């Protein structure tokens, strides 16, 4: 019996069967149309890291530092309340008198020197850097620590980040200026760069303001689920270790080497 095609409520049309080859081609075309195209991965040409708490294990007792700089528990509590639960100590002391600033920076420098004595590489950092090097992906660093700490990090662990910007570069994070400076130095647009760090207010905000991708390293889960984060500080990605960055990059980005025109 020949198949019938219904054209209207009272009209029928007899349709001749398609030749076998045409039927196979038609089925193939229908199958292709029904299968969604894979999502296009975005190009990634550079990764910029925070240092303390990201490339290195956290060793500085920041609450103790803040209490000493600010003058005790009450002042520290007031600063935390004013900052929505966090303290930007460098911003706090910018408006102080020169003598107060000098004493504050001396306290900060002492805590940072003590931290240098216990400096440890973050698990997975060396392997991640080797992975990026193999892909010819640029590596940069932005920290609010001093240049001395960056130099020691390079010397002790034998890995170089270029550029590596310390707090001597102004303005510092969360201003996007240091990240934009690195992108300009690399001749790579920010939308082909990702900022990786452990601070929402410094690293993620810096990356978002610059127009880069952002990845939050949250080892302890202190920030809660990714979906619960406010939109203005929500990173594009959230990981609990640097080893998770490997799969995140390979899954979401095109890691093809840079063209010769983009290299410096």
């Amino acid at each position: 019996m020949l198949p019938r095609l219904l054209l209207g409520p009272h009209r029928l049309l007899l349709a001749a069967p398609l030749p076998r080859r045409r039927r196979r081609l038609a089925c193939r075309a229908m199958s292709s149309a029904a299968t969604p195209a894979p999502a296009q991965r975005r190009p990634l040409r550079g990764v910029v890291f925070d240092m303390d708490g990201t490339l290195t294990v956290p060793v500085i007792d920041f609450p103790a530092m803040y209490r000493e700089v600010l003058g005790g528990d009450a002042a520290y509590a007031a600063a935390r309340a004013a900052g929505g639960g966090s303290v930007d100590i460098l911003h706090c002391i910018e408006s102080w008198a020169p003598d107060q600033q000098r004493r504050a920076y001396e306290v900060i420098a002492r805590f940072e020197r003590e931290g240098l004595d216990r400096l440890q590489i973050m698990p997975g950092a060396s392997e991640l850097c080797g992975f990026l090097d193999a892909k010819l992906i640029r590596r940069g660093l932005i920290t609010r620590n001093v240049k001395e700490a960056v130099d020691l990090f390079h010397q002790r662990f034998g890995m170089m980040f270029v550029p590596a910007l310390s707090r001597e570069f102004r303005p510092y994070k969360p201003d996007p200026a240091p990240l934009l400076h690195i992108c300009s130095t690399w001749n790579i647009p920010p939308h082909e760069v990702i900022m990786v760090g452990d601070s929402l207010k410094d690293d993620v905000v810096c990356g978002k303001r610059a127009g880069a991708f952002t990845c939050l390293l949250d080892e302890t889960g202190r920030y809660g689920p990714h979906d619960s984060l406010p939109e203005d500080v929500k990173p594009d990605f959230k990981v609990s270790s640097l080893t998770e960055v490997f799969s995140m990059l390979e899954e979401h980005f095109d890691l093809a080497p840079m063209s010769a025109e983009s290299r410096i």
Side-chain angles (χ1 to χ4, degrees):
M1 180 177 178
L2 295 175
R4 297 182 298 176
L5 179 65
L6 184 63
L7 296 181
H10 303 294
R11 298 173 58 195
L12 296 175
L13 178 67
L14 295 178
L18 290 172
R20 183 174 301 173
R21 176 175 173 77
R22 289 180 61 189
R23 285 203 304 269
R24 285 201 304 267
L25 292 174
C27 290
R28 206 173 293 167
M30 291 174 62
S31 175
S32 300
T35 304
Q40 185 174 7
R41 292 184 298 172
R42 295 152 290 191
L44 188 74
R45 304 294 177 256
V47 181
V48 180
F49 295 90
D50 168 56
M51 189 174 77
D52 299 301
T54 301
L55 292 172
T56 62
V57 176
V59 293
I60 298 176
D61 187 345
F62 285 104
M65 176 202 291
Y66 298 160
R67 289 187 184 93
E68 186 169 342
V69 169
L70 295 170
D73 291 339
Y76 173 52
R80 286 196 64 187
S86 61
V87 176
D88 187 337
I89 195 65
L90 299 180
H91 179 72
C92 285
I93 65 181
E94 278 182 345
S95 60
W96 292 3
D99 285 348
Q100 289 178 301
Q101 285 191 11
R102 179 180 53 78
R103 286 192 294 269
Y105 281 121
E106 288 174 354
V107 172
I108 293 172
R110 172 164 50 81
F111 273 85
E112 289 174 338
R113 282 194 303 271
E114 293 171 354
L116 292 180
D117 295 335
R118 306 189 303 276
L119 197 64
Q120 301 176 50
I121 193 75
M122 184 69 79
S126 179
E127 294 81 0
L128 179 56
C129 289
F131 170 81
L132 296 175
D133 292 347
K135 299 288 186 180
L136 301 181
I137 294 175
R138 300 273 192 173
R139 293 188 281 111
L141 185 151
I142 303 174
T143 179
R144 286 158 59 103
N145 209 322
V146 292
K147 184 178 182 298
E148 178 186 359
V150 175
D151 292 342
L152 179 62
F153 171 78
H154 284 157
Q155 294 165 11
R156 181 171 296 181
F157 302 115
M159 55 181 72
M160 296 295 296
F161 293 80
V162 181
L165 304 181
S166 58
R167 72 162 170 261
E168 286 81 1
F169 182 97
R170 298 293 183 95
Y172 36 68
K173 298 181 297 185
D175 194 284
L179 183 50
L180 292 174
H181 173 81
I182 290 179
C183 292
S184 176
T185 301
W186 285 344
N187 192 27
I188 297 174
H191 64 264
E192 294 185 359
V193 171
I194 188 168
M195 178 78 205
V196 180
D198 68 319
S199 170
L200 280 181
K201 67 181 181 67
D202 292 332
D203 304 316
V204 172
V205 171
C206 173
K208 291 173 77 71
R209 289 177 177 176
F213 290 102
T214 53
C215 177
L216 176 69
L217 173 62
D218 185 10
E219 283 195 295
T220 62
R222 62 179 173 142
Y223 289 111
H226 183 239
D227 291 341
S228 70
L229 298 173
E231 286 298 327
D232 58 333
V233 295
K234 181 181 288 186
D236 297 295
F237 307 98
K238 183 172 178 286
V239 298
S240 60
S241 69
L242 288 182
T243 57
E244 293 181 20
V245 177
F246 289 87
S247 56
M248 180 271 290
L249 294 179
E250 290 192 307
E251 179 180 354
H252 295 281
F253 294 98
D254 173 11
L255 304 179
M258 292 182 294
S259 63
E261 292 78 10
S262 297
R263 293 192 190 134
I264 297 176

